[in-house]
Amino acid sequence: MHGLLDVLDSRSFSSLWYWLLLTVTWTWVGRGALGIPSELVRAVHRRAAEGADETPAAASPDSLLLLDWVSLVTPRWQVSDRDGTVLTAVAAFVVSALAWLGFAYGRELAQAMVLLVAPLLVLVVLRIRLATRLRATLAEAEAHRLAPDLAAADMAGRITRHMRLTMALSMLAVGGAALWGTAWLATHPLGI
């Protein structure tokens, strides 16, 4: 029992488990966008950047495959206005309570959780926004107002920008947590 309490110690910044969780979490969420294979996005984006097939007779297989992926994964990220309001209120309450406990009362575990959860919430908002924009482009393509290759190129560009933004957010989240954790450990060398 005593060994379990040592593993669940509330000292986060000096725990290997916290840093492992932080690293694995940001590595996992940074691998792609909405579950769409990044290789497919790169192929469509590269094809659009090269300007291949200015006037294509038929849509490329990669473009059609990207459109299929978007039609499959974006409904999972659809949030109604009512649900969005409730989720925003709950998330704001939880992060505010953790921030208050962590930074006003000096609780290390709460600070560590804020540094982990707050950037992830920003990422969720960015992904919901991306899914909404991709669905709008997909609707244009399905209504035949936009050619499949042009729709796929637009989607690939949006997804690529999102992945770059996710990479920057992950670097800021991990770097910010590392700086804050180092400062915390410097001012609290014995965990007190």
Side-chain angles (χ1 to χ4, degrees):
M1 183 68 176
H2 185 65
L4 178 64
L5 293 177
D6 288 340
V7 170
L8 298 175
D9 187 11
S10 65
R11 293 185 305 147
S12 303
F13 296 124
S14 61
S15 170
L16 174 65
W17 296 107
Y18 174 73
W19 297 108
L20 188 62
L21 175 67
L22 184 73
T23 305
V24 168
T25 299
W26 280 104
T27 301
W28 181 57
V29 300
R31 293 192 69 201
L34 308 178
I36 299 170
S38 57
E39 299 83 21
L40 177 62
V41 173
R42 280 191 216 105
V44 172
H45 188 66
R46 183 173 39 250
R47 182 182 173 103
E50 291 171 355
D53 296 330
E54 292 295 329
T55 55
S60 72
D62 285 342
S63 296
L64 293 176
L65 189 56
L66 181 61
L67 294 175
D68 285 342
W69 268 101
V70 168
S71 70
L72 288 173
V73 300
T74 55
R76 296 180 198 157
W77 291 92
Q78 197 167 4
V79 179
S80 70
D81 290 340
R82 181 173 178 249
D83 292 342
T85 302
V86 170
L87 289 173
T88 301
V90 169
F93 173 76
V94 169
V95 171
S96 299
L98 285 173
W100 186 257
L101 282 172
F103 299 105
Y105 289 104
R107 301 291 178 216
E108 182 180 358
L109 181 60
Q111 290 176 10
M113 292 306 296
V114 168
L115 293 172
L116 178 67
V117 172
L120 289 174
L121 291 175
V122 171
L123 182 63
V124 167
V125 170
L126 291 174
R127 286 191 175 179
I128 290 171
R129 189 179 78 171
L130 174 66
T132 302
R133 291 179 176 172
L134 292 179
R135 272 195 312 276
T137 304
L138 182 64
E140 291 289 315
E142 288 174 343
H144 303 292
R145 290 188 293 265
L146 189 61
D149 280 338
L150 294 176
D154 180 61
M155 290 177 181
R158 288 181 189 276
I159 295 168
T160 301
R161 284 188 298 275
H162 175 80
M163 291 187 339
R164 288 179 183 150
L165 189 58
T166 300
M167 185 182 304
L169 182 62
S170 69
M171 288 189 294
L172 283 173
V174 173
L179 287 173
W180 187 262
T182 302
W184 175 268
L185 290 173
T187 57
H188 302 85
L190 300 176
I192 298 173

